[in-house]
Amino acid sequence: MSALRILVPVKRVIDYAVKPRVNKAQTGVETAGVKHSMNPFDELSVEESVRIRTEERAPGGVEDICAISAGPAKSVEVLRTAMAMGADRAIHVETADGDEGALEPLAVAKVLRAVVDKERSNLVILGKQSIDDDAAQTGQMLAGLLGWPQATQASRVEFKNDGIEVTKEVDGGVETVRAKLPMIITTDLRLNEPRYASLPNIMKAKRKPLVKLSLSDLGVANERRLKVVKVTEPPARQGGGKVEDVDGMISKLKELGAL
Amino acid sequence: MFAAARQTALRGAVSIPRSTPVFSGPFSRSAFQRLLSSLAILEQREGKLNHGSLSAITAARSIGGSIHGFVAGSNVKPVAEEAAKVEGVEKIIAVDNVAYEKGLPENFAPLVVENIKKGGYTHIIAGHTAFGKNLMPRIAALLDSQQISDITAIESENTFVRPIYAGNAIATVESSDSVKIITIRGTAFPAAEAQGGSAAVEDGVDPKSEASAEWISEDLAKSDRPDLATAGKVVSGGRGLKSKEDFDNVMQPFADSIGAAIGASRAAVDSGYADNSLQVGQTGKVVAPQLYMAVGISGAIQHLAGMKDSKVIAAINKDPDAPIFQVADVGLVGDLFEKVPELTEKLKSS
């Protein structure tokens, strides 16, 4: 097996613990002044890449771990985090701030295809979904564009018999598939527990190389296929209050027709 | 409001004949509508139709136009014939080839693409299940189409409603792609019944593409209980259950007493109390049963994302300030190790 050149796409999203608020104009979610961080599934991708190297799992070794993010200027923060966790370098594909710059999964997949060609990547590890758009598409689209095999929702990645065996979370249990490089893997929460970047590593990450590219450098247009007509709050649910005891619960559930 | 829109769309789907325009937008003119045609991707396993995947046909009905179903695998004839009984389906396209049995997207995606090209479909619909999530974006990329994921309602042939930010916002999006690749949230579209119809079953095109990945094995949790995603009642346990033994000892008799499926919060799954496949939430399953009973679950937003469309939510938690009580129709503050066994006994004897 040839040495791994891993590409790890990461996305800056509203922090998972923040409850998003729809803006007044109903065009999207309020992002100004809201805490952002790396998409949780992407932390798993970075962690897995670093572990493949430190645990010397790949027979051919790991030659390079490159993090990439396509997004506004502040995406650099998540790239620095990825490098503090152990990525060697980073690429920032800068897009405009706000809604105009937002890329759809198909456009991101096209960006990644161009970067894979440029960087001669042979393994791309992505999160299974971003927790803002919840689309769960980019990894599969990239695999389709490249014609590479894909293993989605990975909970275990093993190097075996000249290939990579990936255990995937599926409905009702797990499934294991095998493929040879080059391939695409998307991560599920069970894959690992991401590390916290230590202060010395955060300092070191500031000196790691970060290259800026534009969409046009990669020959990709931000062509949006979906127009957001409106974004609204979900219908609010009112708690129905509390009951005193088990009998109260049973009679209330019967009253509601649930039992 | 969006729930109302959904109901209207579904009511239209069930009661209005296909040839009647369902929508009042510019695309409702019947001349245009005749051009619409949907392909519903059906799931099967070892010669058995996954009935949940018939939700795709329900969604196709509310789009209007002609509806074909697609199924592939080894010995799929019986599956195709069963699906052909769904009312409103014109044709089931079946590809009988063992190479597609495990649904590997590497050869399944080109297979579907060839059949889409041959049939000239405008809408390709599958469930937002592990199978659909794995397959559909690959198809979308091959067709250069931006997929619309996990939709909960159809407003018109090009406008769809989908939750974003773990269900904390609802987006309405309009697609400009000529072929719309869609995955649907099963709980928002009831599965069509396999009765009343008599579609033709036809062999599909088989490009026989090589699969660059190989299926090795699977390990599926076996259970006699109803399937979590489609169960009418779900009892779900969280961190408050303390251990796997306690989880099993408390939750299993409870589930049995009301014939419910068992679910779990991420905390319970991460702590090893319950299997991963039972996780309810943004990163697990989305359920919308008649009754959702949360036991020892605080109600984090990621968990609520997976269950807040349940008809009735009940919660048992010892913390009176747990966020779950803000959404629960019935709340009981107390120690679950006392309350749940008491509830189980009383429900059994009632």
Side-chain angles (χ1 to χ4, degrees):
Chain A
M1 184 182 280
S2 46
L4 290 181
R5 293 184 57 81
I6 309 177
L7 188 69
V8 189
V10 295
K11 184 177 184 183
R12 179 176 177 269
V13 298
I14 291 183
D15 190 86
Y16 74 94
V18 174
K19 185 170 162 45
R21 301 274 170 210
V22 171
N23 64 22
K24 283 214 176 64
Q26 297 202 326
T27 55
V29 158
E30 206 63 73
T31 53
V34 176
K35 185 185 176 195
H36 283 65
S37 43
M38 190 190 295
N39 180 43
F41 293 101
D42 302 343
E43 291 183 352
L44 296 151
S45 313
V46 178
E47 179 66 31
E48 194 65 14
S49 311
V50 174
R51 287 191 191 188
I52 289 170
R53 166 145 64 198
T54 52
E55 292 165 8
E56 298 180 359
R57 271 146 65 184
V62 176
E63 188 183 311
D64 179 47
I65 301 173
C66 179
I68 177 168
S69 193
K74 283 187 174 160
S75 305
V76 167
E77 294 163 10
V78 296
L79 289 170
R80 291 286 172 207
T81 305
M83 289 190 284
M85 289 173 71
D88 301 314
R89 61 197 178 98
I91 296 171
H92 177 211
V93 181
E94 191 165 358
T95 64
D97 271 335
D99 294 342
E100 313 85 72
L103 298 175
E104 291 172 349
L106 185 62
V108 176
K110 288 175 180 174
V111 164
L112 295 175
R113 173 179 57 182
V115 172
V116 161
D117 287 344
K118 209 172 144 77
E119 300 296 330
R120 293 174 294 113
S121 314
N122 53 15
L123 178 63
V124 187
I125 308 183
L126 308 88
K128 75 163 177 180
Q129 76 189 65
S130 65
I131 61 163
D132 50 0
D133 189 46
D134 282 335
Q137 299 172 2
T138 308
Q140 299 88 306
M141 286 183 156
L142 177 61
L145 292 177
L146 290 165
W148 290 6
Q150 68 188 51
T152 52
Q153 303 189 203
S155 59
R156 197 170 60 193
V157 176
E158 287 180 300
F159 291 79
K160 244 188 191 172
N161 308 330
D162 196 30
I164 305 182
E165 279 192 22
V166 180
T167 301
K168 308 165 50 194
E169 300 277 325
V170 295
D171 300 335
V174 293
E175 176 185 74
T176 303
V177 295
R178 171 170 47 214
K180 287 185 177 162
L181 290 177
M183 83 176 291
I184 306 287
I185 295 173
T186 76
T187 61
D188 208 329
L189 280 176
R190 243 66 60 180
L191 183 60
N192 59 47
E193 198 141 327
R195 71 194 62 197
Y196 288 103
S198 66
L199 189 59
N201 284 339
I202 292 171
M203 300 310 289
K204 249 191 264 170
K206 290 185 177 165
R207 293 190 301 274
K208 289 186 177 176
L210 189 147
V211 172
K212 267 193 198 305
L213 294 175
S214 66
L215 288 174
S216 56
D217 292 335
L218 298 167
V220 178
N222 186 6
E223 174 200 14
R224 297 182 63 86
R225 310 290 185 80
L226 300 182
K227 184 178 135 203
V228 177
V229 180
K230 65 174 179 212
V231 176
T232 54
E233 294 274 354
R237 227 190 143 106
Q238 280 296 321
K242 292 174 183 137
V243 290
E244 285 303 312
D245 52 21
V246 166
D247 291 324
M249 176 164 256
I250 293 174
S251 58
K252 185 81 185 284
L253 288 176
K254 284 191 173 150
E255 192 184 304
L256 292 167
L259 281 178
Chain B
M1 181 219 73
F2 112 89
R6 175 165 88 206
Q7 279 184 352
T8 314
L10 292 179
R11 209 175 302 126
V14 178
S15 59
I16 302 175
R18 262 180 306 114
S19 55
T20 311
V22 180
F23 305 109
S24 53
F27 295 102
S28 63
R29 269 166 274 134
S30 53
F32 192 91
Q33 190 120 21
R34 271 198 293 274
L35 300 175
L36 297 176
S37 61
S38 294
L39 185 66
I41 312 290
L42 306 177
E43 297 182 34
Q44 67 90 31
R45 155 179 293 276
E46 290 162 2
K48 286 214 177 66
L49 176 67
N50 174 343
H51 288 258
S53 69
L54 296 179
S55 289
I57 294 176
T58 308
R61 281 174 180 165
S62 65
I63 287 167
S66 67
I67 304 170
H68 293 179
F70 181 86
V71 63
S74 56
N75 299 318
V76 287
K77 265 281 148 57
V79 178
E81 273 157 18
E82 192 184 352
K85 295 193 185 113
V86 177
E87 204 178 336
V89 176
E90 257 172 43
K91 198 195 283 181
I92 299 290
I93 295 167
V95 175
D96 205 318
N97 183 340
V98 67
Y100 304 120
E101 178 62 23
K102 298 300 180 186
L104 291 169
E106 291 80 3
N107 61 359
F108 212 108
L111 166 72
V112 178
V113 167
E114 284 309 307
N115 284 283
I116 293 169
K117 285 181 178 160
K118 182 170 177 231
Y121 303 101
T122 54
H123 295 74
I124 319 301
I125 309 169
H128 195 66
T129 57
F131 172 81
K133 282 191 269 188
N134 197 22
L135 173 70
M136 296 294 269
R138 194 165 175 121
I139 294 174
L142 295 176
L143 294 170
D144 195 37
S145 176
Q146 173 53 57
Q147 179 178 316
I148 310 127
S149 289
D150 203 19
I151 65 163
T152 51
I154 294 166
E155 291 208 336
S156 76
E157 62 99 9
N158 60 357
T159 309
F160 309 92
V161 177
R162 57 180 303 264
I164 54 175
Y165 289 92
N168 283 293
I170 307 297
T172 304
V173 297
E174 190 182 302
S175 165
S176 56
D177 282 318
S178 55
V179 181
K180 290 159 185 67
I181 311 291
I182 299 163
T183 62
I184 55 164
R185 182 169 287 199
T187 55
F189 297 90
E193 301 258 348
Q195 59 181 40
S198 55
V201 174
E202 199 175 273
D203 286 336
V205 210
D206 186 353
K208 295 194 167 71
S209 342
E210 287 282 313
S212 49
E214 186 190 346
W215 184 90
I216 303 285
S217 63
E218 68 190 359
D219 183 7
L220 302 181
K222 285 174 192 67
S223 164
D224 299 331
R225 291 208 176 76
D227 175 52
L228 177 58
T230 53
K233 297 188 181 100
V234 173
V235 298
S236 222
R239 200 197 301 271
L241 268 310
K242 300 251 169 34
S243 71
K244 176 161 174 37
E245 289 67 41
D246 286 337
F247 191 97
D248 291 346
N249 292 340
V250 172
M251 298 304 286
Q252 288 186 4
F254 182 36
D256 292 341
S257 74
I258 54 170
I262 295 182
S265 70
R266 185 180 164 200
V269 168
D270 280 352
S271 310
Y273 306 170
D275 191 78
N276 293 346
S277 60
L278 301 187
Q279 189 186 318
V280 172
Q282 183 183 21
T283 61
K285 292 227 166 46
V286 175
V287 301
Q290 193 70 22
L291 172 63
Y292 187 88
M293 178 83 78
V295 175
I297 292 176
S298 64
I301 55 174
Q302 291 80 10
H303 185 76
L304 298 181
M307 46 64 82
K308 66 182 176 181
D309 290 331
S310 304
K311 190 88 194 313
V312 173
I313 298 174
I316 299 177
N317 205 300
K318 66 179 177 195
D319 174 9
D321 298 323
I324 191 79
F325 287 124
Q326 290 164 22
V327 299
D329 301 289
V330 193
L332 177 60
V333 178
D335 181 356
L336 70 92
F337 291 104
E338 279 169 32
K339 302 296 181 192
V340 178
E342 187 187 343
L343 193 54
T344 305
E345 277 313 307
K346 287 186 170 158
L347 288 169
K348 249 199 292 192
S349 57
S350 70

